[in-house]
């Protein structure tokens, strides 16, 4: 499926198969008699494909994947067009991150008749990421280590209005919201992709470009491109300013 197709909310082969299942045996929502319409928002195509394969067998799981998106603009377009019950939302996305998607979809979240509910699904368990999307309106936050079975269960719980968190994050979230010094949303950091954040941390730790390339299994030229993008987005001039910026935010 191309990104253009995703932005238009048009179903690709896998989604079309899911829609067909929903129209027959899956109309009853799978073995448990449940059914939920879901949109996947993640900037990694392979991850979206994996999630689709894991949970998108509608006749068995009751989950119908009705759309996908790879960045903020696509996400808002697809969510508005399809009006799913649940959105699986990555935290770090091109165009402003998951928080920006939540901000632009606030009216859909607040709709009392047909609310669109959001479940963050991210590799990150950083405090600023968790608190940012929960403050933004997400109903839960699970990490990408979750099993397919548990993810399906989490989706249905969020559909029903429950708050869902990975076990390790539940106590942390309660503590953070009880605290008066909960970490604020960092809009500057949210402009960066996950890969750019990885490169940023390694640069701030003093790694050379060749060392970063080796550690991340990418080319030196790609490292240079990521560094240039980070400097441009953060409006910094060189790696020394970048290091100070990262250190001040305790990212090193």
């Amino acid at each position: 499926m191309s990104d253009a197709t995703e932005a238009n909310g048009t179903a690709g082969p896998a989604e079309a198969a899911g829609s067909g299942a929903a129209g027959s045996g899956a109309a009853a929502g799978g073995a448990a008699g449940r059914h939920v319409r879901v949109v996947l928002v993640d900037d990694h195509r392979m991850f979206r494909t994996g999630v689709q394969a894991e949970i998108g067998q509608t006749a068995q799981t009751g989950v119908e994947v009705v759309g996908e998106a790879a960045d903020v603009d696509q996400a808002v377009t697809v969510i508005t067009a399809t009006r799913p019950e649940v959105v699986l939302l990555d935290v770090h996305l091109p165009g402003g991150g998951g928080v920006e998607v939540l901000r632009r979809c606030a009216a859909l979240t607040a709709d009392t008749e047909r609310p669109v509910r959001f479940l963050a699904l991210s590799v990150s368990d950083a405090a600023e990421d968790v608190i940012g999307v929960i403050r933004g309106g997400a109903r839960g936050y699970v990490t990408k280590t979750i099993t397919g079975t548990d993810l399906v269960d989490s989706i249905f719980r969020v559909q029903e209005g429950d708050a869902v968190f990975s076990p390790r994050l539940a106590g942390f979230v309660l503590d953070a919201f009880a605290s008066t010094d909960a970490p604020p949303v960092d809009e500057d950091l949210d402009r960066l992709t996950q890969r750019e954040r990885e490169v940023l941390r390694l640069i701030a730790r003093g790694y050379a470009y060749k060392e970063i390339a080796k550690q991340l299994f990418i080319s030196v030229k790609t490292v240079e491109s990521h560094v240039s993008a980070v400097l441009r987005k953060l409006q910094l001039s060189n790696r020394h300013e970048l290091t100070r910026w990262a250190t001040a935010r305790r990212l090193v």
Side-chain angles (χ1 to χ4, degrees):
M1 179 187 300
S2 68
D3 287 345
T5 301
E6 291 153 6
N8 292 329
T10 305
E15 292 167 357
S19 299
S24 55
R34 303 183 299 179
H35 183 260
V36 60
R37 299 168 69 254
V38 172
V39 164
L40 306 178
V41 181
D42 193 287
D43 61 342
H44 292 91
R45 182 186 296 274
M46 289 183 65
F47 179 76
R48 297 197 309 271
T49 301
V51 172
Q52 167 76 286
E54 186 75 19
I55 71 172
Q57 300 300 315
T58 313
Q60 287 74 43
T61 66
V63 176
E64 179 188 3
V65 178
V66 296
E68 300 181 10
D71 60 34
V72 169
D73 288 339
Q74 288 180 12
V76 174
T77 299
V78 173
I79 293 165
T80 302
T82 60
R83 292 297 295 263
E85 282 91 25
V86 177
V87 178
L88 289 180
L89 180 67
D90 193 11
V91 174
H92 302 293
L93 296 166
V99 172
E100 179 64 12
V101 175
L102 288 160
R103 185 187 70 79
R104 291 169 60 179
C105 292
L108 300 179
T109 305
D111 189 332
T112 57
E113 296 292 329
R114 295 172 57 202
V116 176
R117 296 189 169 104
F118 289 79
L119 173 61
L121 175 61
S122 177
V123 70
S124 170
D125 60 0
E128 65 269 19
D129 291 335
V130 179
I131 301 305
V133 294
I134 298 304
R135 281 179 172 164
R139 294 292 303 174
Y141 194 114
V142 294
T143 61
K144 290 181 178 180
T145 57
I146 193 170
T147 66
T149 300
D150 287 343
L151 181 57
V152 169
D153 181 63
S154 297
I155 290 169
F156 278 107
R157 288 175 60 193
V158 167
Q159 179 195 28
E160 293 162 3
D162 290 346
V164 179
F165 296 94
S166 290
R168 198 177 73 82
L169 300 181
F172 157 72
V173 171
L174 291 173
D175 291 344
F177 274 91
S179 172
T180 57
D181 59 353
V185 176
D186 193 326
E187 295 181 359
D188 289 332
L189 192 61
D190 245 353
R191 294 191 183 99
L192 307 183
T193 66
Q194 185 64 30
R195 178 64 84 186
E196 287 168 352
R197 288 160 65 105
E198 292 170 351
V199 171
L200 163 66
R201 285 189 175 95
L202 293 174
I203 284 288
R205 291 170 184 168
Y207 283 74
Y209 285 4
K210 288 184 179 179
E211 294 172 321
I212 296 173
K214 183 177 181 180
Q215 183 158 334
L216 298 181
F217 302 100
I218 57 179
S219 69
V220 173
K221 186 173 181 180
T222 300
V223 173
E224 293 172 349
S225 296
H226 285 314
V227 172
S228 295
V230 170
L231 292 174
R232 183 181 69 256
K233 290 178 180 181
L234 300 181
Q235 298 183 339
L236 301 174
S237 301
N238 53 57
R239 64 181 297 164
H240 300 295
E241 290 184 1
L242 188 152
T243 299
R244 287 198 296 271
W245 187 94
T247 302
R249 285 162 174 77
R250 300 180 180 178
L251 300 176
V252 181

